[in-house]
Amino acid sequence: MNAIDEMAAAQGVAYMDGTYMPLAEASIPILDRGFLRSDVTYDALHVWKGRFFRLQDHIDRFRASIAGLRMALPHTDEELIGVLMECVRRTGYRDAFVMVMCSRGVQPPGTRDPRLCRNRLYAYVTPFLWIANEEQRRDGLKLILAKTQRIPAESLDQRIKNFHWLDLTMSLFEAYDQDAHTTVLPLADGTVTEGPGYNIFVVKGGALATPDRGMFEGITRRTVTEIAADLQMKCEIRPVRVEELDDADEMFTATTAGGITPVSSYNGRPIGDGRPGPVTRRILDLYWRRHDDAAFTTPVAYDD
Ligand SMILES: Cc1ncc(COP(=O)(O)O)c(C=O)c1O
């Protein structure tokens, strides 16, 4: 490899419909409906200290998303896992962010019928990704309730992981305009859903609550509910009303790209004493400890 190739490979590795390549070289055809129509689903995984976290759970969820969009891939689970393993192996990364996508594909000329497309598998691996920077992770995120509503489940089943992200993206501009970092989006019924790339938890009187509707069912969220059960801490999956956020003792976000992140201010006011709270810190600690547990992790076979 020459210096430029090495630099490109250092950013990550992609798998595009049968071929491995440096991430910088990966591109999709402009006529792919994944691009033209957001007609694509995906899953996001991570590797920590050389081990995939909850690999089979992600594969199962990816398959459910594919089925939900009436797509199909010829790959067995073993083959899908093989592709992801190979991407990670080629990067050599011990801590990695892994994306796997199934796109409707390119439609044959002269038709708009999505059934005539051959669905395509894409994947890529980059160094591990954090949704919040170091300072935000230490001090907590400044969160606002967005005016933008989340696309409702009646329009799009949010359990199917999707790139219909303009509600989430535009809400971020609301946050930036108010000198905040990020948002949580409501539904018309006065409940909250999730934010740009994460689920949300509210802590009140030592009990946890997370929304049950209008959001993607995150694997980090599932992990948090399991940790809470181990701790015999009350944790409810139920409608969470906007007013509950005004009154929370603690709040945190949950996602693959960075795990648990404390929220320290809401709509410009500090939550509690404005520092990450004890429940959040405990769950964050146990979340990362789960990454050393063979029951939740699958090792990558690296070259060295
Ligand atoms: C909109 C949205 N909600 C929630 C999540 C959290 O899901 P997970 O914990 O499986 O990463 C994500 C993750 O990408 C997301 O994009």
Side-chain angles (χ1 to χ4, degrees), residues 44-90:
L45 307 81
H46 70 285
V47 170
W48 193 251
K49 294 191 206 156
R51 305 176 77 90
F52 271 96
F53 188 61
R54 304 193 78 149
L55 178 57
Q56 191 61 47
D57 292 332
H58 281 280
I59 297 293
D60 293 346
R61 186 175 68 176
F62 183 47
R63 285 219 182 273
S65 291
I66 292 172
L69 295 184
R70 301 176 65 166
M71 294 187 194
L73 287 174
H75 308 72
T76 61
D77 278 11
E78 217 178 354
E79 287 164 345
L80 282 179
I81 289 171
V83 167
L84 302 186
M85 285 280 182
E86 179 60 12
C87 286
V88 178
R89 188 193 66 77
R90 285 180 184 231

Side-chain angles (χ1 to χ4, degrees), residues 133-142 181 262-265 274-276:
N133 65 31
E134 245 180 274
E135 188 190 329
Q136 292 162 355
R137 299 203 300 272
R138 187 193 60 222
D139 298 341
L141 289 165
K142 294 184 198 170
H181 302 126
V263 177
S264 54
S265 96
R275 305 284 315 152

Side-chain angles (χ1 to χ4, degrees), residues 42-44 58 61 150 161-162 165 168 194-199 215-221 254-257:
Y42 72 107
D43 217 281
H58 281 280
R61 186 175 68 176
R150 187 78 174 113
K161 201 161 170 61
N162 65 79
W165 258 63
L168 302 173
E194 60 186 344
Y198 49 80
N199 293 117
M215 44 7 92
F216 181 59
E217 295 183 344
I219 285 180
T220 320
R221 169 178 174 268
T255 186
T256 292

